[in-house]
Amino acid sequence: MPVQLHSPDPAQLLPVAGVRIGTTQAGVRKANRRDLSVWLLAPGTSVAGVFTQNRFCAAPVQVCREHLQHGPEVRALLINTGNANAGTGADGLARARRTCAALADQLGLAEQQVLPFSTGVIMETLPVERIEAGLRAAIDAARPDAWLEAAQAIMTTDTLPKAASRQVTIGGKAVTLTGIAKGAGMIRPNMATMLGFVATDACVAPSLLPALVKEAADASFNRITVDGDTSTNDSFLLMATHQAGHARIDALDSVEAALLRDALKSLAVELAQAIVRDGEGATKFITVQVDGGRDAAESRQVAYAIAHSPLVKTAFFASDPNLGRILAAVGYAGIPDLDQSLIDMDLGDVAVVREGGRLANYVEAEAAQAMAASDVRVRVHLNRGAASETVWTCDFSEDYVRINADYRS
Amino acid sequence: MPVQLHSPDPAQLLPVAGVRIGTTQAGVRKANRRDLSVWLLAPGTSVAGVFTQNRFCAAPVQVCREHLQHGPEVRALLINTGNANAGTGADGLARARRTCAALADQLGLAEQQVLPFSTGVIMETLPVERIEAGLRAAIDAARPDAWLEAAQAIMTTDTLPKAASRQVTIGGKAVTLTGIAKGAGMIRPNMATMLGFVATDACVAPSLLPALVKEAADASFNRITVDGDTSTNDSFLLMATHQAGHARIDALDSVEAALLRDALKSLAVELAQAIVRDGEGATKFITVQVDGGRDAAESRQVAYAIAHSPLVKTAFFASDPNLGRILAAVGYAGIPDLDQSLIDMDLGDVAVVREGGRLANYVEAEAAQAMAASDVRVRVHLNRGAASETVWTCDFSEDYVRINADYRS
């Protein structure tokens, strides 16, 4: 039950010069599901990515890292849903490589010019034959305006596809950024989410891409959580085809870079928030803002403790302002010298706690009303510094359990 | 729905010489509920406790720490359920002190000789008047054999009272240990659980008590988790009345101390496991054993990552051997140099993963059968050292959400 989220209007998803996408039904896990995508990138495209910090990272993540580090120019992406190819050992690695080789063969490329991505059930054998059999149809279907299908073809428990575009003018030229993302459970990205892809036709020095993608991930996918489970397959990729025709951006601190960076961050935040709004079983979108930390790390630590607490999340589900649970999470977040007598807390516009205790004039009915909204903000002030951090999460409903007790069947 | 847990037989709960307990219905939060207990300790009793590490620790926890550190001999405990008196600021502290003073007054003691304990909803004002009004009835009801009532009088969302006894022979004398505990949600104790009380008539040097209580807590309450939420009120108290008549135990490494320590640990483990077996919404009791860590800390870190993962816990609820979720949790547990190609995993007697990948001869039906049991063991071998650690947890059901979305109403 997505929270204030709608299927993207295909007309609003702008093609990016130099990028064509084809999708097909390969039957990776289930029949009659768009589950295989091939992305074709024009020569000269630059690519940078950030990947999961999960030490049990999936085979395709390992292959992506290799190809990006040592390979020639990336010219194609190969993405499947239905099978994560994680926890599959040496055999899984070999299978990921085999799918890259198969696509490279059909496109006249080297294996290292293909980046593989997988999402779905962990610890199942990747059905390479079915993927190979679907490649030709996906390649033949490739077109510049297939972004909605691309978003559909990476869904797992997502109820809606997630895609968005931005357009900015740089050096008198229209620059387009379009991206897609997926994810609804096993969402607590660490460096990236499972999966996000953004393409732009901006002309930007390839050496700047790693910084751009990291900055965008840190401001977006690295600020969300559904269930605290960091996936084995998180990947966030930025592709720049350099075809917009403006003068190349060579420095991150230029005015032109600022335009691009803002557009990229705004797009990434929209996609990341869409993942939370479509979080498994979600009925509420919750912004957790922690002010007054000594540094960003401790503000984030407190924000995540709140955002991960099953008790806080079930209270939001019930619209029950049992807000002491938030204080408990602040207290166990792991700041050894936290002074509870300095803590303030607000729920939306309702002041709840000052100096560690409930305000005398607090009216629970007002908090209950604030909590009943579909978008709710919790603000905690630690009053020990100036660092402010925000994370986004959703509530925890019986449907989350139902979905995850049923996911494979 | 408790997992292989039954209400204790009162005849099996042995009185401890020097300890009398009285309970009553004080209407702290709800009517017709046994919610107030007074414990009367004989002169000469030694007391030591461990308390929550939550920085938002409750007012009674703060008062307990003060009284234990600076006060004269402890002679009474005052325990209420229905209200945690946490997140209540300076007013909450004053109220906790006032209840101690009121009981001390009735017993002819100093305020510092009373230890207060509270459990229930956080951030509500403690109804001191109702507690004061109930004191006389509780004192008058005090008897040596009221352990079952004592366990009932600290329940919140617990479905069953938790109490047990041990008896060992030391120096030719029968030494008794009897304890109670409560807790079903907000359970991820750090130093202790909310709440555990053990009394013994053993003769033991008072200076040894802090080490004994810490050792027992580390082996029991500090090895369990229901939902990862460390409570504001966790307290585990050990009381020794020294009335068993054997020669005093003066050294931790003596044969007599070993008998006492083993009995105490065994009792604490039974009580801690009872909390998990009665975990909110639990349908399964899960033992997570992590072998082959470099040190205990990292083995425990991996065990807790598994035990806290909502995806792992919902898979157990469904008896669905979607065991890749366990690998994902191992991978994000936070060991930076973990090598996934060394990981082995077993479920009960079923070998599932060797060298980071699913075994070729793994049969899912066997894992499904192992998972369907009410008591299940997950064993992960990191193969990078000799440290082994075990934690106990339960599964995550729709009832957990239901209970916690309803808890206050």
Side-chain angles (χ1 to χ4, degrees):
Chain A
M1 177 166 39
V3 184
Q4 306 287 349
L5 183 70
H6 305 283
S7 192
D9 175 358
Q12 306 280 327
L13 299 175
L14 308 173
V16 175
V19 178
R20 290 184 302 134
I21 307 172
T23 64
T24 192
Q25 299 183 353
V28 170
R29 181 170 180 84
K30 294 181 180 168
N32 305 316
R33 179 159 82 163
R34 209 187 286 273
D35 57 6
L36 190 69
S37 319
V38 170
W39 293 44
L40 304 175
L41 307 177
T45 298
S46 308
V47 177
V50 285
F51 298 92
T52 184
Q53 295 302 298
N54 192 310
R55 296 293 90 193
F56 237 107
C57 68
V61 168
Q62 297 176 63
V63 173
C64 272
R65 286 199 176 111
E66 275 176 31
H67 288 188
L68 280 171
Q69 271 167 30
H70 309 295
E73 183 181 88
V74 170
R75 293 290 308 285
L77 314 185
L78 175 58
I79 314 172
N80 73 272
T81 184
N83 183 308
N85 195 11
T88 46
D91 178 62
L93 263 178
R95 284 171 186 266
R97 292 190 211 288
R98 212 174 113 195
T99 61
C100 291
L103 179 58
D105 193 47
Q106 299 224 21
L107 298 174
L109 302 171
E111 179 184 326
Q112 288 76 17
Q113 295 183 281
V114 178
L115 298 184
F117 301 86
S118 296
T119 178
V121 182
I122 300 176
M123 225 179 66
E124 300 278 343
T125 303
L126 188 74
V128 174
E129 297 73 15
R130 284 180 233 158
I131 290 174
E132 285 174 343
L135 288 178
R136 177 45 50 198
I139 296 168
D140 290 345
R143 13 179 265 274
D145 60 351
W147 284 92
L148 185 62
E149 290 89 328
Q152 289 163 339
I154 59 173
M155 290 165 67
T156 49
T157 54
D158 305 66
T159 68
L160 288 174
K162 295 157 189 81
S165 288
R166 293 288 184 278
Q167 210 159 43
V168 284
T169 304
I170 298 181
K173 302 286 183 183
V175 171
T176 301
L177 302 91
T178 297
I180 64 169
K182 64 83 46 181
M186 201 173 268
I187 293 294
R188 199 290 203 211
N190 185 357
M191 293 312 292
T193 190
M194 164 74 192
L195 305 163
F197 301 91
V198 170
T200 178
D201 51 8
C203 308
V204 54
S207 61
L208 300 185
L209 254 63
L212 288 174
V213 74
K214 181 167 188 329
E215 178 184 65
D218 282 346
S220 58
F221 300 113
N222 286 354
R223 289 289 173 281
I224 64 173
T225 184
V226 169
D227 48 17
D229 276 292
T230 300
S231 158
T232 47
N233 292 51
D234 291 341
S235 305
F236 175 48
L237 209 69
L238 174 63
M239 295 155 275
T241 62
H242 313 292
Q243 299 194 5
H246 59 86
R248 193 172 89 156
I249 298 171
D250 282 311
L252 281 178
D253 57 1
S254 63
V255 174
E256 293 74 20
L259 291 169
L260 182 65
R261 289 163 72 179
D262 285 351
L264 177 59
K265 267 195 276 187
S266 155
L267 175 60
V269 166
E270 179 175 338
L271 293 172
Q273 292 191 349
I275 287 175
V276 174
R277 291 186 182 282
D278 199 17
E280 287 172 345
T283 74
K284 288 199 171 71
F285 178 85
I286 305 165
T287 300
V288 182
Q289 179 184 335
V290 175
D291 297 334
R294 287 227 180 106
D295 53 39
E298 76 171 32
S299 293
R300 213 159 46 234
Q301 197 175 332
V302 172
Y304 271 117
I306 297 167
H308 285 148
S309 159
L311 292 174
V312 170
K313 291 162 90 85
T314 48
F316 272 101
F317 170 55
S319 299
D320 175 10
N322 193 344
L323 302 174
R325 293 174 175 180
I326 297 176
L327 297 187
V330 172
Y332 69 66
I335 303 185
D337 61 348
L338 190 74
D339 181 352
Q340 63 168 278
S341 74
L342 298 178
I343 307 294
D344 299 334
M345 176 170 70
D346 300 86
L347 185 75
D349 296 328
V350 181
V352 181
V353 169
R354 290 294 177 271
E355 298 179 351
R358 201 174 70 181
L359 272 168
N361 64 356
Y362 165 77
V363 179
E364 185 167 308
E366 292 173 8
Q369 197 179 357
M371 233 170 163
S374 63
D375 279 50
V376 192
R377 175 180 297 266
V378 176
R379 184 173 159 276
V380 169
H381 207 305
L382 303 177
N383 283 304
R384 47 191 261 131
S388 177
E389 285 281 313
T390 296
V391 308
W392 300 290
T393 190
C394 54
D395 60 334
F396 211 157
S397 69
E398 287 155 276
D399 277 345
Y400 178 89
V401 177
R402 212 167 287 135
I403 290 163
N404 283 299
D406 283 348
Y407 172 33
R408 293 201 320 167
S409 41
Chain B
M1 178 166 37
V3 184
Q4 307 287 348
L5 183 71
H6 305 284
S7 192
D9 175 359
Q12 306 281 327
L13 299 175
L14 308 173
V16 175
V19 178
R20 290 184 302 134
I21 307 173
T23 64
T24 191
Q25 299 181 353
V28 171
R29 181 172 180 85
K30 294 181 181 168
N32 305 316
R33 177 160 80 163
R34 209 188 285 272
D35 56 7
L36 190 69
S37 317
V38 169
W39 292 44
L40 304 175
L41 307 178
T45 298
S46 308
V47 178
V50 285
F51 298 93
T52 184
Q53 295 302 298
N54 191 312
R55 296 294 91 193
F56 238 106
C57 68
V61 168
Q62 297 176 63
V63 174
C64 272
R65 285 199 177 112
E66 274 175 33
H67 289 189
L68 280 171
Q69 270 167 31
H70 307 297
E73 182 180 89
V74 171
R75 292 289 308 284
L77 314 185
L78 174 58
I79 314 172
N80 74 272
T81 184
N83 184 308
N85 195 11
T88 46
D91 178 63
L93 263 177
R95 285 172 186 266
R97 291 191 212 287
R98 212 173 113 196
T99 61
C100 290
L103 179 58
D105 193 48
Q106 299 225 22
L107 298 174
L109 301 171
E111 180 184 325
Q112 288 76 15
Q113 294 183 279
V114 178
L115 298 184
F117 301 85
S118 296
T119 177
V121 183
I122 299 175
M123 224 179 68
E124 301 278 343
T125 303
L126 188 74
V128 173
E129 297 73 14
R130 283 180 234 158
I131 290 174
E132 285 175 343
L135 288 177
R136 177 45 49 197
I139 295 167
D140 290 345
R143 8 179 271 274
D145 59 350
W147 285 92
L148 185 62
E149 291 90 328
Q152 288 163 342
I154 59 173
M155 290 166 65
T156 51
T157 53
D158 305 64
T159 68
L160 289 175
K162 295 158 189 79
S165 289
R166 294 287 185 279
Q167 209 158 43
V168 283
T169 304
I170 298 182
K173 303 285 182 183
V175 171
T176 302
L177 303 91
T178 299
I180 65 170
K182 62 84 48 180
M186 202 174 267
I187 294 294
R188 197 296 200 208
N190 184 358
M191 292 312 290
T193 190
M194 164 74 191
L195 306 163
F197 301 92
V198 171
T200 179
D201 52 6
C203 308
V204 53
S207 61
L208 300 186
L209 254 63
L212 287 175
V213 72
K214 180 166 188 330
E215 178 183 66
D218 282 345
S220 59
F221 299 114
N222 287 353
R223 289 290 174 280
I224 64 173
T225 183
V226 169
D227 48 17
D229 276 291
T230 300
S231 160
T232 47
N233 292 52
D234 290 342
S235 306
F236 176 47
L237 208 69
L238 174 63
M239 294 155 276
T241 62
H242 313 292
Q243 300 195 3
H246 58 87
R248 194 172 89 156
I249 298 173
D250 282 312
L252 281 178
D253 56 359
S254 63
V255 173
E256 292 75 19
L259 291 169
L260 181 65
R261 291 163 72 179
D262 285 351
L264 177 60
K265 268 196 276 189
S266 155
L267 175 59
V269 166
E270 179 175 339
L271 292 172
Q273 292 191 350
I275 288 176
V276 174
R277 291 186 182 281
D278 198 17
E280 288 173 344
T283 73
K284 289 198 170 72
F285 178 85
I286 305 164
T287 300
V288 182
Q289 178 183 336
V290 175
D291 296 335
R294 289 228 177 104
D295 53 39
E298 76 170 32
S299 293
R300 211 158 48 231
Q301 197 175 332
V302 171
Y304 271 117
I306 297 168
H308 286 148
S309 160
L311 292 174
V312 170
K313 290 162 91 85
T314 48
F316 271 101
F317 170 54
S319 299
D320 175 11
N322 192 345
L323 303 174
R325 294 175 175 180
I326 298 176
L327 297 186
V330 171
Y332 69 66
I335 303 184
D337 61 347
L338 189 74
D339 181 352
Q340 63 169 280
S341 73
L342 298 178
I343 308 294
D344 299 335
M345 177 171 68
D346 298 87
L347 185 75
D349 296 329
V350 182
V352 181
V353 169
R354 290 295 178 270
E355 299 179 353
R358 202 174 70 182
L359 273 167
N361 64 355
Y362 165 77
V363 178
E364 185 167 307
E366 293 173 8
Q369 197 180 357
M371 232 171 165
S374 63
D375 280 50
V376 193
R377 175 179 297 265
V378 176
R379 183 173 160 278
V380 170
H381 207 305
L382 303 177
N383 283 305
R384 46 190 262 131
S388 177
E389 284 281 313
T390 295
V391 307
W392 299 290
T393 190
C394 55
D395 59 336
F396 211 158
S397 69
E398 288 157 274
D399 276 345
Y400 177 90
V401 177
R402 213 168 286 135
I403 291 163
N404 282 298
D406 283 347
Y407 172 34
R408 292 202 322 165
S409 41

